[in-house]
């Protein structure tokens, strides 16, 4: 892992940009004792510098966690495949025309998830070698499909918080039955891009004995700020 920049922020959190081969990432640490790690994924296609993700990461790091995110293949500034770009163009056209989009989303999101998982696991290997980071590991992010796949594939993840705001391919909806770690699931009740019944069916499918659903009124980006505080209390119960 090659650190490309480092700065101490005004809240005492240390922010480091890094490269792991071709994988660009950012690590926030509380600058104190060894901290449990939280992987914080953005929704597919958004950059690791997305302001909402950075705000959540800094808040969580200030609460005593090491927080890391990466630009997975096809996300942020990393090159996008011709197939993904065509799928995005098809998606925009279908949305303008009011046509069904599920099959287009399957062709876009499914490969992004499969390509992202090995890179996240490689990043996890490298992060856990740092002296200031310890397990257990949590996952928190708007990319629920990636989180489901990681929770099934990666035994080091002990708890996860998912935002029900992005498309979850059929493969991950089936895999949800294999997820058994504690879960916190956030749902915006009026999310125009996320059918409510589909989100509730996904919550029902999770195999976890401990799973909690928080639903709030409002659209896709209207998640109340207090959910971040509740999310940290959830992490405290399972990672500290």
């Amino acid at each position: 892992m090659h650190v490309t920049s480092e700065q101490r922020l005004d809240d005492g959190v240390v922010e480091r940009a890094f490269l792991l081969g071709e994988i660009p990432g950012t690590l926030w640490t509380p600058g104190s004792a060894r901290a449990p790690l939280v992987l914080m994924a953005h929704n597919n296609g958004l950059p690791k510098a997305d302001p909402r993700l950075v705000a959540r990461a800094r808040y969580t790091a200030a609460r005593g966690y090491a927080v890391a995110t990466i630009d997975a293949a096809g996300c942020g500034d990393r090159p996008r495949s011709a197939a993904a770009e065509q799928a995005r163009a098809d998606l925009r056209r279908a949305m303008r025309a009011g046509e069904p989009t599920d099959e287009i989303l399957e062709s876009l999101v499914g490969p992004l998830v499969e390509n992202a998982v090995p890179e996240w696991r490689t990043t996890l290997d490298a992060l856990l070698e740092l002296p200031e980071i310890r397990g257990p590991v949590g996952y928190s992010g708007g990319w629920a499909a990636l989180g489901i796949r990681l929770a099934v594939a990666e035994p080091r993840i002990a708890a996860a918080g998912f935002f029900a705001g992005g498309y979850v391919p059929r493969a991950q909806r089936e895999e949800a039955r294999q997820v058994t770690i504690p879960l916190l699931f956030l749902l915006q009740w009026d999310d125009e891009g996320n059918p409510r019944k589909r989100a509730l069916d996904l919550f029902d499918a999770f195999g976890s004995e401990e799973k909690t659903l928080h639903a709030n009124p409002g659209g896709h980006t209207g998640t109340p700020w207090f959910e971040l505080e509740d999310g940290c209390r959830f992490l405290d119960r399972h990672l500290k």
Side-chain angles (χ1 to χ4, degrees):
M1 177 181 291
H2 173 60
V3 176
T4 58
S5 68
E6 180 174 329
Q7 60 176 327
R8 183 174 292 274
L9 306 174
D10 54 12
D11 53 6
V13 170
V14 177
E15 179 184 274
R16 280 174 281 180
F18 65 84
L19 280 173
L20 187 59
E22 297 181 354
I23 306 170
T26 307
L27 173 65
W28 295 267
T29 53
S32 54
R34 293 179 71 211
L37 175 63
V38 177
L39 304 178
M40 194 167 282
H42 49 72
N43 207 350
N44 49 83
L46 292 177
K48 57 183 173 57
D50 177 76
R52 288 177 298 166
L53 182 144
V54 172
R56 289 193 293 116
R58 288 185 58 175
Y59 181 92
T60 305
R63 289 281 296 259
Y65 293 94
V67 183
T69 189
I70 63 171
D71 276 338
C75 296
D77 294 329
R78 295 185 69 183
R80 299 183 179 187
S81 69
E85 288 301 280
Q86 182 60 56
R88 287 187 172 94
D90 291 342
L91 179 62
R92 289 191 293 268
R93 178 198 55 77
M95 292 176 67
R96 286 194 300 268
E99 298 173 355
T101 59
D102 279 12
E103 293 309 313
I104 300 173
L105 286 165
E106 286 284 333
S107 68
L108 173 62
V109 181
L112 285 175
V113 170
E114 292 302 321
N115 291 333
V117 166
E119 294 195 339
W120 275 96
R121 298 186 76 182
T122 297
T123 303
L124 178 57
D125 290 341
L127 291 170
L128 288 178
E129 292 181 356
L130 298 177
E132 64 268 41
I133 294 177
R134 63 172 177 85
V137 179
Y139 176 92
S140 175
W143 198 352
L146 173 65
I148 293 168
R149 186 74 191 90
L150 274 174
V152 172
E154 182 48 71
R156 290 173 291 186
I157 295 179
F162 297 147
F163 293 82
Y167 183 81
V168 177
R170 287 186 287 267
Q172 275 69 62
R173 280 179 254 161
E174 285 298 318
E175 283 186 312
R177 305 179 192 284
Q178 302 175 47
V179 175
T180 58
I181 58 176
L183 292 178
L184 176 62
F185 195 63
L186 301 184
L187 170 63
Q188 284 302 102
W189 203 246
D190 308 300
D191 190 339
E192 59 282 356
N194 182 40
R196 188 183 304 161
K197 184 179 185 306
R198 179 179 291 172
L200 294 174
D201 287 346
L202 178 62
F203 177 76
D204 190 51
F206 286 122
S208 304
E209 290 186 4
E210 181 182 334
K211 55 182 180 180
T212 302
L213 172 67
H214 287 187
N216 291 283
H220 184 73
T221 60
T223 304
W225 184 253
F226 62 73
E227 288 291 2
L228 183 53
E229 183 179 357
D230 286 348
C232 284
R233 284 199 291 264
F234 167 80
L235 294 173
D236 291 345
R237 289 197 299 274
H238 300 290
L239 302 186
K240 287 188 174 180

